[in-house]
Amino acid sequence: MADSVRSPRERYREQVRDEVKRHAWEQIASAGVTALSLNAIAKEMGMSGPALYRYFASRDELITALIRDAYRSLADTVRAAAEGGTTAVALAGVIRGWALQDPHRYLLIYGTPVPGYHAPEDITAISDELLAVLLVVCADPAAEDQKSPFDVLLGAKRGWVAKVLASPRTVHRALSFWTRVQGVLSLELAGHFAPMGIDPGLLLAEEVAEL
Amino acid sequence: MADSVRSPRERYREQVRDEVKRHAWEQIASAGVTALSLNAIAKEMGMSGPALYRYFASRDELITALIRDAYRSLADTVRAAAEGGTTAVALAGVIRGWALQDPHRYLLIYGTPVPGYHAPEDITAISDELLAVLLVVCADPAAEDQKSPFDVLLGAKRGWVAKVLASPRTVHRALSFWTRVQGVLSLELAGHFAPMGIDPGLLLAEEVAEL
DNA sequence: TGTACATCAGTGAACGCGCGTTCACTGATGTAC
DNA sequence: TGTACATCAGTGAACGCGCGTTCACTGATGTAC
């Protein structure tokens, strides 16, 4: 455990930061990112408003932390499925499951961008990692895969991805996969399927089966 | 012109309402729906805040009007293309063009739902109308189309749609078309393609070509 | 055509609210000798 | 093991801000005779 090396105070800090984030997610779930308020979180935790500034420098920093956690969680979920061996169809189901488990977490990442907000670089790196896993899963076994600009881009950032050799065909498959998943999920989570009596899970499976 | 029948006062009212909406769109474009403020709009128009309550009963009613206009504009655009005769690929391009022309208008409809907001019925009717046009464009010429629950749903609301006979196959094609368009657009407008050097227009064309 | 009246656009003051953030401070927790 | 000092979590008051919305009002625009 890396914890044993941390001082009690550091552990305590991390605990409080986590609790702040938990309340933040609850608030987002019930009223959207917009309604996220440091003061309100503090009140729920039985603290005064300014106390939170010991843990997050500003509201923006808290949002950044939430976004990073969301990306991290999705990337880990997807990678775990990929490493365990999975088909594209199954992976689509896993991603959908992740999104449905906490729709606002999905929407924070892939919904309407927060105006004026720009993600720091370490976050886009996680997003790249995710794409790399998709390349692996969508690799076309029929095509002889050969290096392309893609794996240079991705491989440079995380060692384990360096071995991904993506042919143009594979890149295209991965992009199709990704946009189709996004298409179904964004419509489903915004409630656009509800009035139509359609099973989004079934639709998604059919969409990614035809890659 | 129906205008000749309206009193000068009524025409003036409509003019002001339109100007309010124009400023509202500008505000949304620069800072998101969240930042939409009646007071700020009034100030920009050189009026006092409460004056706007002559034209919109509340902030929510203004947002509703904006959403309705956005749906109406999209539905008209799509229908015009369909009536002029269009392929699925071309229609996808038209829809993308409409979205790029004013991304926030697209996002207001298909982005993260405004928390606590529920669209009135006349708006969902426009959304149905849009879907009906997609059914027409995506009708599978090979399959013998036969009545399904779909055209009962849609036909009841607007006369000209009543003739749409959608086979299950056609319904499926229309849904695929719609989700794929959404997938590409939602990723493109959220800026997720930018770091990858991908042409979203090309990707979209390929996606809907494989229906 | 002119006058009396009704309609309605817009004002300014006010209410209550909650926000993010800063600041000087108290008191508890840890550290060094 | 005990004492002196430094660190740091949390408080409460305050600042300035803008929001949506209500209300009683003034003054201009239209309508009816």
Side-chain angles (χ1 to χ4, degrees):
Chain A
M1 289 291 132
D3 270 0
S4 59
V5 117
R6 279 201 275 263
S7 70
R9 262 190 181 151
E10 274 173 331
R11 255 184 294 143
Y12 177 73
R13 277 185 67 81
E14 204 128 322
Q15 242 172 263
V16 176
R17 275 179 68 98
D18 282 351
E19 198 183 335
V20 171
K21 287 194 222 162
R22 274 210 326 276
H23 283 95
W25 282 118
E26 275 170 27
Q27 224 172 84
I28 288 177
S30 73
V33 214
T34 294
L36 210 180
S37 144
L38 291 189
N39 286 319
I41 292 174
K43 193 179 289 179
E44 266 181 28
M45 291 176 64
M47 298 168 88
S48 72
L52 292 200
Y53 283 78
R54 292 264 163 211
Y55 303 94
F56 295 92
S58 67
R59 185 176 177 274
D60 248 47
E61 203 197 276
L62 172 57
I63 293 181
T64 297
L66 296 176
I67 293 179
R68 195 190 340 263
D69 286 358
Y71 265 116
R72 187 72 268 153
S73 164
L74 178 57
D76 288 348
T77 301
V78 166
R79 185 165 52 165
E83 284 174 351
T86 184
T87 62
V89 172
L91 184 61
V94 167
I95 295 173
R96 176 164 176 261
W98 182 88
L100 292 184
Q101 186 189 318
D102 189 345
H104 286 87
R105 189 173 49 174
Y106 172 91
L107 288 171
L108 186 61
I109 302 183
Y110 294 109
T112 306
V114 180
Y117 177 85
H118 278 289
E121 199 176 327
D122 68 307
I123 285 184
T124 55
I126 305 180
S127 165
D128 286 350
E129 178 190 331
L130 207 151
L131 228 154
V133 178
L134 294 188
L135 285 173
V136 176
V137 174
C138 296
D140 186 356
E144 184 112 1
D145 274 358
Q146 54 193 30
K147 268 197 178 293
S148 83
F150 251 86
D151 66 326
V152 176
L153 170 69
L154 298 166
K157 298 199 177 158
R158 288 184 69 90
W160 77 275
V161 176
K163 282 175 292 203
V164 178
L165 304 180
S167 67
R169 173 101 189 83
T170 292
V171 171
H172 188 228
R173 282 161 60 100
L175 282 176
S176 285
F177 175 87
W178 194 225
T179 57
R180 292 181 193 184
V181 169
Q182 294 290 333
V184 173
L185 288 184
S186 69
L187 284 171
E188 177 178 13
L189 295 182
H192 291 283
F193 285 143
M196 304 201 266
I198 282 161
D199 178 351
L202 219 70
L203 178 62
L204 178 57
E206 283 171 355
E207 280 298 287
V208 296
E210 297 171 12
L211 278 183
Chain B
M1 290 292 132
D3 269 359
S4 59
V5 118
R6 279 201 275 263
S7 70
R9 262 190 182 151
E10 274 173 331
R11 254 185 295 145
Y12 177 72
R13 278 184 65 80
E14 204 129 323
Q15 242 174 263
V16 176
R17 275 179 69 98
D18 281 352
E19 197 182 334
V20 171
K21 288 195 223 163
R22 274 211 326 277
H23 282 96
W25 282 117
E26 275 171 27
Q27 227 174 78
I28 288 178
S30 73
V33 213
T34 293
L36 212 180
S37 145
L38 291 189
N39 286 319
I41 292 174
K43 192 180 289 179
E44 266 181 28
M45 289 176 66
M47 297 168 90
S48 72
L52 293 200
Y53 284 77
R54 292 265 163 210
Y55 303 94
F56 295 93
S58 67
R59 184 175 178 274
D60 248 46
E61 201 197 278
L62 171 56
I63 293 180
T64 296
L66 296 176
I67 293 179
R68 195 191 338 265
D69 286 358
Y71 265 116
R72 186 72 267 152
S73 164
L74 178 57
D76 287 347
T77 301
V78 166
R79 185 165 50 165
E83 284 174 350
T86 184
T87 64
V89 173
L91 183 61
V94 167
I95 295 173
R96 176 165 176 260
W98 181 89
L100 292 183
Q101 186 190 318
D102 188 345
H104 286 88
R105 189 175 48 176
Y106 172 90
L107 288 170
L108 186 61
I109 301 183
Y110 294 109
T112 306
V114 180
Y117 178 85
H118 278 290
E121 198 176 327
D122 68 308
I123 285 185
T124 55
I126 305 179
S127 165
D128 287 349
E129 176 188 333
L130 207 151
L131 228 154
V133 177
L134 294 188
L135 285 174
V136 176
V137 174
C138 295
D140 187 357
E144 184 113 0
D145 274 357
Q146 55 193 28
K147 268 197 178 294
S148 83
F150 253 85
D151 66 326
V152 175
L153 171 69
L154 297 166
K157 298 197 177 160
R158 288 183 70 90
W160 76 277
V161 176
K163 283 177 294 210
V164 177
L165 305 180
S167 67
R169 173 104 188 83
T170 293
V171 171
H172 187 228
R173 282 160 62 99
L175 282 176
S176 286
F177 175 88
W178 194 225
T179 58
R180 291 179 193 185
V181 169
Q182 293 291 332
V184 173
L185 288 183
S186 69
L187 284 171
E188 178 178 13
L189 295 183
H192 292 283
F193 285 143
M196 304 201 267
I198 282 161
D199 179 350
L202 219 68
L203 178 60
L204 179 56
E206 282 171 355
E207 282 297 288
V208 297
E210 296 171 14
L211 277 184

